[in-house]
Amino acid sequence: NLRKAAIQVPCQMDYDDVWHYENGLIKVSKDGLWGFLDEMGNVIIPVEYDSAAQSSHGLICVEKNGAYGMLGADGAIIIPCGYEDEFVFRSQSIWGKKDGKYHLLTLDGASLSEHSFDEIWCGQDDLCAVRIGGKWGVISELTGEFLLQPVYQQAYPIFDKLIRVKLNGKWGLLDHSGYEILPPIYTAIRESDTGIICVKKDGKWGIVALSPS
């Protein structure tokens, strides 16, 4: 049995490039600009952006004249173009960069934190290390609240809501509540998600096994 194609949607051969995307949206390009159609050929997002990319949340990051914004799948403007870099999408929040600072936003574009940050390092479990000036702390990407205040030389969320921190040139290990699991007395720490932590002190390496939580 041969299958025949029936043209259901009239299509003008008017685009320079076409990509089929999720959520019933089709990405199209014309004269170097991008937009989206629905599967009936209706324009949902005008072909007027320098770049456009759909996130796993169904939101669309767009760029216009070097500034980034965010649209809903229906074309509604959630964040006007005014950010200086592409958004970083997390499980339930977004990082945007504006005026040289990082801002934590909800998926609706509202601010999650009253603070702005010079640098971010996103880890697991919705934890993110943030730098203010020369000091690092850790915030929850769900609430925007500080879990660790910015008093550390470095901080890295790793696994099971554990955080490797550096203080006075030495490394230690905390949990997300700030409870000290390993004091910052080690020149190096290597971790794995097996619960085995390798630590170096006075030029020698040892092994620490974390007890189950």
Side-chain angles (χ1 to χ4, degrees):
N1 295 328
L2 298 178
R3 300 181 64 183
K4 296 183 178 180
I7 298 177
Q8 297 179 351
V9 181
C11 179
Q12 297 180 1
M13 307 299 288
D14 199 30
Y15 297 103
D16 301 322
D17 205 350
V18 174
W19 291 84
H20 197 283
Y21 260 54
E22 298 178 349
N23 305 316
L25 292 180
I26 301 168
K27 183 178 176 181
V28 296
S29 174
K30 184 178 180 180
D31 299 329
L33 301 177
W34 294 90
F36 285 86
L37 312 180
D38 65 14
E39 292 182 343
M40 297 302 294
N42 301 308
V43 175
I44 304 301
I45 295 172
V47 185
E48 62 182 36
Y49 296 99
D50 299 314
S51 67
Q54 192 170 167
S55 77
S56 59
H57 300 284
L59 303 174
I60 298 167
C61 178
V62 293
E63 177 195 3
K64 193 172 187 178
N65 299 324
Y68 292 83
M70 189 172 64
L71 311 179
D74 59 355
I77 296 175
I78 297 175
I79 301 175
C81 289
Y83 284 78
E84 60 196 57
D85 207 345
E86 293 184 14
F87 296 97
V88 178
F89 288 87
R90 303 290 285 166
S91 69
Q92 299 182 48
S93 58
I94 307 166
W95 284 101
K97 190 177 184 182
K98 191 174 186 179
D99 300 325
K101 302 284 187 177
Y102 289 92
H103 303 264
L104 183 62
L105 310 171
T106 68
L107 296 178
D108 295 325
S111 178
L112 257 177
S113 173
E114 63 183 17
H115 301 280
S116 58
F117 307 99
D118 298 305
E119 191 175 353
I120 60 173
W121 193 91
C122 299
Q124 302 181 33
D125 303 309
D126 295 304
L127 304 182
C128 188
V130 294
R131 180 174 64 83
I132 298 178
K135 298 296 183 180
W136 287 83
V138 173
I139 69 169
S140 166
E141 292 178 319
L142 301 180
T143 66
E145 296 177 352
F146 274 105
L147 302 177
L148 298 182
Q149 292 295 320
V151 297
Y152 299 94
Q153 291 172 283
Q154 292 181 21
Y156 295 104
I158 46 175
F159 59 88
D160 290 341
K161 296 187 177 182
L162 299 178
I163 303 164
R164 179 159 45 96
V165 297
K166 188 176 186 181
L167 188 65
N168 298 324
K170 299 295 179 68
W171 291 95
L173 190 67
L174 311 178
D175 73 5
H176 67 285
S177 69
Y179 176 78
E180 187 177 274
I181 297 172
L182 293 175
I185 59 175
Y186 302 98
T187 54
I189 291 181
R190 295 174 183 165
E191 69 280 338
S192 74
D193 56 9
T194 62
I196 300 297
I197 307 293
C198 300
V199 294
K200 185 178 183 181
K201 184 180 179 184
D202 300 328
K204 301 294 184 180
W205 283 92
I207 295 174
V208 176
L210 299 180
S211 60
S213 57

